[in-house]
Amino acid sequence: PLILEFAHCYKDIDVFSYEVKNQMIPSYIEKTAYAVGIISVLNKDESALRQQAKEHQWKLDLLLEDKCQLLISTKNPLAAAESIALSDLAALNLATYPEKDDPIVMPLFNQYFRYGVRFHLSNLENILQMVVKDHAVAIMPGRMLSRNPYVLDGKIKLMDLADYPQPLNYYLLYRKKELKQEWYKDTLRLIKQIFLQELQIEQQKLK
């Protein structure tokens, strides 16, 4: 939606989405003119990111307050519960990104998957396929995935981790010095507007 809206407003400017590892977004912002990043940050890492932003004169705008949730196939009997305890994770298989690329699941949750198999996969679709087929579970930001087709189709359920809450926030990260460009400011406005629209759709769905 952002790219379509931007192309309509600014026909002479190319805009594209580019995916890098979450931990690489700050350095990409620093070396790339007019870049805008959407970055997820755990509570424990927020102060370090804010200090980094201050040193580099970046700006951080809150887009979405989220939390880590368990993604589980609705075929799995455990999906009948409202939430899941850490003790229930022990025998489950885990699908996640390669360990070196994963700043959330491996350091925070790996120890609780004591006996299951780890599937280290290269992209989100492969992880979700493992969950849909009930070969593994995954841990991801829940609100960000609440409108994923597998969730909406009832193939994957999002479950709270009852005794181990892990909030994380999504921020818009950008360089203050680029704000003199009107189209750059419009890009930031459009991103915030689209996030707000998505949240409103989610809230209506939950009612």
Side-chain angles (χ1 to χ4, degrees):
L2 170 66
I3 292 174
L4 291 173
E5 182 69 22
F6 192 90
H8 176 73
C9 297
Y10 295 97
K11 294 180 174 59
D12 297 329
I13 299 176
D14 291 330
V15 61
F16 60 92
S17 62
Y18 184 65
E19 184 176 0
V20 298
K21 298 166 188 172
N22 195 68
Q23 59 267 40
M24 297 300 295
I25 291 175
S27 61
Y28 184 80
I29 294 291
E30 181 61 19
K31 70 182 182 182
T32 309
Y34 303 114
V36 177
I38 297 175
I39 185 169
S40 62
V41 188
L42 288 162
N43 281 3
K44 70 180 183 65
D45 300 324
E46 282 207 16
S47 59
L49 179 63
R50 289 190 179 280
Q51 181 60 36
Q52 190 179 15
K54 183 178 180 181
E55 291 171 359
H56 291 278
Q57 293 192 315
W58 300 331
K59 187 76 169 63
L60 283 168
D61 291 345
L62 180 65
L63 285 175
L64 175 69
E65 293 179 337
D66 209 335
K67 60 183 176 181
C68 296
Q69 289 186 292
L70 186 83
L71 280 66
I72 190 169
S73 171
T74 50
K75 301 175 185 176
N76 193 303
L78 291 173
E82 289 297 316
S83 61
I84 192 162
L86 288 177
S87 57
D88 290 326
L89 303 180
L92 296 175
N93 297 332
L94 174 66
T96 186
Y97 294 108
E99 189 166 355
K100 64 182 177 62
D101 299 334
D102 185 353
I104 297 176
V105 179
M106 294 308 290
L108 292 179
F109 297 95
N110 183 51
Q111 61 182 310
Y112 301 107
F113 291 87
R114 295 188 182 90
Y115 311 117
V117 177
R118 308 289 191 284
F119 297 99
H120 294 285
L121 303 168
S122 62
N123 60 63
L124 177 62
E125 178 61 25
N126 288 343
I127 291 173
L128 295 179
Q129 281 289 323
M130 293 293 287
V131 175
V132 167
K133 295 173 183 177
D134 200 23
H135 295 328
V137 298
I139 294 177
M140 298 276 178
R143 291 186 73 188
M144 186 62 86
L145 283 171
S146 63
R147 298 190 67 238
N148 181 275
Y150 294 124
V151 176
L152 294 178
D153 290 347
K155 295 177 181 176
I156 290 178
K157 181 177 179 180
L158 297 168
M159 299 182 70
D160 285 336
L161 294 145
D163 45 357
Y164 193 53
Q166 289 294 337
L168 77 167
N169 293 327
Y170 278 87
Y171 285 96
L172 196 63
L173 178 64
Y174 54 95
R175 297 161 67 177
K176 292 179 184 178
K177 65 182 180 181
E178 312 295 5
L179 290 174
K180 58 183 178 289
Q181 298 289 346
E182 199 63 34
W183 62 264
Y184 188 77
K185 289 190 284 188
D186 280 346
T187 304
L188 302 173
R189 177 184 57 79
L190 285 170
I191 293 173
K192 294 175 186 178
Q193 177 182 311
I194 288 167
F195 258 80
L196 180 61
Q197 289 171 350
E198 291 295 308
L199 284 177
Q200 288 171 340
I201 291 170
E202 178 195 336
Q203 289 166 353
Q204 290 169 0
K205 179 191 70 176
L206 293 174
K207 289 180 180 178

